[in-house]
Amino acid sequence: MFGPFKPTNVALGGLLWKIPWRMSQPQKYRQRKRLQAVDKVIATVEEGLRLQGIEPIKSLTRLRNELPTEDQMPPKDKYTTFHRRSAKYRIGLHTIAKWTKKSLRTNPKGF
């Protein structure tokens, strides 16, 4: 059909936004680079404060002590995150809204 009543993907019953069930290799590569960039920023700020003779603030030392660096994280934590309604309590990181903007490094113990 043509004109104003042309069928669309939504009207035909199909999913308009399709999310693959696993992350692609380029997505994983970019995720690792994002994690490494955050590690580099924390190290740079800490080094700059040390060179100026200023003691690092509490939040910076908390980030350094509590968050694992990218190379310390297992792949399970790099590419998936805790989700309480999922069958195995894990979902792919790419299924979370704005996953490139969040630092999802810590998960509940045992999951």
Side-chain angles (χ1 to χ4, degrees), residues 1-102:
M1 265 178 114
F2 300 106
F5 302 108
K6 186 171 96 172
T8 63
N9 287 338
V10 175
L12 292 174
L15 289 174
L16 186 59
W17 300 106
K18 296 185 179 182
I19 299 172
W21 65 279
R22 65 179 171 183
M23 291 175 75
S24 66
Q25 288 298 322
Q27 282 178 318
K28 288 181 179 182
Y29 174 79
R30 288 190 301 268
Q31 174 63 11
R32 286 192 304 272
K33 290 299 173 188
R34 278 191 289 274
L35 291 171
Q36 291 168 3
V38 170
D39 294 339
K40 190 175 179 181
V41 166
I42 292 171
T44 303
V45 170
E46 203 171 49
E47 178 69 19
L49 290 174
R50 189 184 62 76
L51 288 175
Q52 290 183 354
I54 302 171
E55 192 172 311
I57 56 177
K58 288 181 184 179
S59 59
L60 188 63
T61 56
R62 187 185 66 79
L63 284 175
R64 173 59 74 196
N65 295 334
E66 291 181 11
L67 292 182
T69 59
E70 185 268 335
D71 57 341
Q72 294 172 343
M73 294 175 71
K76 177 180 164 186
D77 286 342
K78 285 182 197 177
Y79 310 123
T80 64
T81 190
F82 176 78
H83 192 258
R84 66 180 177 178
R85 284 182 237 119
S86 179
K88 294 186 178 181
Y89 302 105
R90 287 287 200 175
I91 60 169
L93 201 59
H94 65 294
T95 60
I96 295 174
K98 300 185 179 178
W99 63 282
T100 59
K101 308 284 189 247
K102 298 177 180 177

